[in-house]
Amino acid sequence: MARIGIIGSAGRMGQALAEAIAAAGDTLSGGIDKGGDPLALARVSDVLLDFSSPHALEANLDAAVAAGVGIVVGTTGLEERHHFLCDHAAEHTAVLQTGNTSLGVTLLAHLVREAAQRLGEDWDIEITETHHRMKVDAPSGTALLLGEAAATGRGIDLAANSARGRDGITGARVAGSIGFASLRGGSVAGDHTVHFLADNERISLSHLAENRAIFARGAVRAAQWLIGKGAGRYTMPQVLNL
């Protein structure tokens, strides 16, 4: 049985993680929230699950490194600085950072990359996402993950080729760009669709999340997989051997 510690344990996702750990037959080594001691938790854990907040990430990564345990980072809203911190920590311990721990989304990203690679630039790519009214970041981490998959398939840089927040007289669509649109409302756990649109035909690849349990199950599977791995930056596709 793996000893899995949760950072961000009091929230809805933290509770779902605790249930998923029990269902998998593993041991919940403990849980902390704001003001808690991540190093103390890391020292009694085989692996950490971090679903807290971006501003807590540095301390959580430092704790994983100091204790010599792997860490799965599922916190969204990360900026370039946070990815640098993940890269630095990965020089010393196993770090798996992802915008979505769902196994279904992981497979969807694989299919999006394949479609983007095989379809020409005359196929426009637009990504739509819907989340509950309390979500604070947009586009969602999952939408950005899917955008990165599409950009990788096209061999382009997402940051230099994304279109967000269209409003007013925007002009014609820029060829080769990847568009994002975010909807917020109700209690939606997370719906994502990647649209490939060409003249006279369209392809839509979608994933609909009904509750947080799917993210928790995927996160626990990622944590189990990460135990014993050497220092490095790992991804969800590796968990599914994609």
Side-chain angles (χ1 to χ4, degrees), residues 3-5 7 29-30 32 37-48 60 62-70:
R3 300 176 301 163
I4 303 175
I7 304 174
S29 56
I32 63 170
D37 185 352
L39 181 55
L41 178 61
R43 285 174 172 161
V44 296
S45 305
D46 297 315
V47 64
L48 296 174
N60 299 336
D62 287 346
V65 169
V69 300

Side-chain angles (χ1 to χ4, degrees), residues 136-149:
V136 298
D137 57 306
S140 68
T142 301
L144 294 174
L145 181 153
L146 295 171
E148 288 288 358

Side-chain angles (χ1 to χ4, degrees), residues 93-94 224-231 234:
T93 195
Q224 294 169 328
W225 180 88
L226 198 62
I227 294 172
K229 295 290 189 296
Y234 297 94

Side-chain angles (χ1 to χ4, degrees), residues 56-76:
L57 180 61
E58 185 170 8
N60 299 336
L61 290 170
D62 287 346
V65 169
V69 300
I71 182 170
V72 175
V73 179
T75 301
T76 59

Side-chain angles (χ1 to χ4, degrees), residues 8 20 23 25 51 61 64 79 123-124 178 185 189 198-199 216 228 242:
F51 283 80
L61 290 170
E79 299 176 352
W123 288 75
D124 301 321
I178 297 174
D199 292 343
L242 294 175

Side-chain angles (χ1 to χ4, degrees), residues 109-121 125 145-158 178 196:
H110 177 76
L111 297 175
V112 167
R113 184 171 62 253
E114 287 289 309
Q117 179 180 355
R118 297 175 189 279
L119 298 174
E121 283 196 5
I125 302 176
L145 181 153
L146 295 171
E148 288 288 358
T152 298
R154 284 273 171 92
I156 60 175
D157 176 62
L158 179 63
I178 297 174
F196 293 88

